[in-house]
Amino acid sequence: MQNIHPYFVHFPIAILSVGLLWDLLGILLKKESLKNAGWWAHVFGVIAIIITAITGLIAANTVAHSEAAHEIMETHETIGLIVAGVFILLLVWRSILKTMLPPKKFHQLIYLTIGGLAVVTMLYGAHLGGKLVYEFGLGGTAVQQPTH
């Protein structure tokens, strides 16, 4: 079976990052339309991250790799699953509030801080995924480095 994980990885990164930005701008500019856009981005971002996690778990068990790559892959996988869990919990929190952001400023700060840390952690996990592809040649054609 072909590794399809690389086809999905960019969607949750882009959608969840932009969704959090829309939430922040919605709070700062007091625009419900931006908060609404943030909500829908969060919903579709969580769907995307679940699909990406599933394809990643399949890839981890089907793509041949070295022991060095395996260690990075394990860290990449752990980060991905933790980040997915955090975004799912944030979605549940927001769903309980009927799609709205928390009304109190302190709770908004907590929500945005957790979301921001999740985005930064997701980007580090993406960096590790890129390392697996471009340094170890997983999931595609190995990149040949020039010799001097």
Side-chain angles (χ1 to χ4, degrees):
M1 179 174 160
Q2 181 184 2
N3 176 17
I4 61 171
H5 181 63
Y7 299 127
F8 293 97
V9 296
H10 300 96
F11 291 104
I13 295 167
I15 296 169
L16 291 167
S17 298
V18 170
L20 189 67
L21 177 63
W22 285 335
D23 285 335
L24 175 62
L25 289 174
I27 291 168
L28 294 175
L29 301 174
K30 297 178 172 65
K31 296 277 189 182
E32 290 304 313
S33 60
L34 288 170
K35 294 176 189 176
N36 192 38
W39 159 256
W40 286 107
H42 198 132
V43 169
F44 289 113
V46 165
I47 292 167
I49 206 169
I50 290 169
I51 292 168
T52 302
I54 291 167
T55 61
L57 292 170
I58 292 168
N61 293 318
T62 59
V63 174
H65 55 276
S66 67
E67 189 60 38
H70 185 76
E71 288 182 35
I72 295 170
M73 187 186 295
E74 289 287 318
T75 303
H76 172 72
E77 179 182 322
T78 300
I79 288 171
L81 293 173
I82 289 170
V83 167
V86 168
F87 277 114
I88 289 168
L89 288 174
L90 287 175
L91 183 64
V92 168
W93 182 8
R94 208 156 161 183
S95 295
I96 291 169
L97 298 173
K98 302 200 184 326
T99 77
M100 302 304 295
L101 286 166
K104 293 182 181 178
K105 294 287 183 202
F106 179 70
H107 293 149
Q108 290 173 356
L109 180 63
I110 291 171
Y111 179 91
L112 293 172
T113 300
I114 292 170
L117 290 171
V119 166
V120 169
T121 305
M122 178 173 57
L123 292 173
Y124 178 68
H127 163 73
L128 293 178
K131 192 173 185 149
L132 289 168
V133 171
Y134 295 107
E135 289 183 26
F136 292 94
L138 270 64
T141 306
V143 176
Q144 296 297 317
Q145 299 295 327
T147 56
H148 299 298

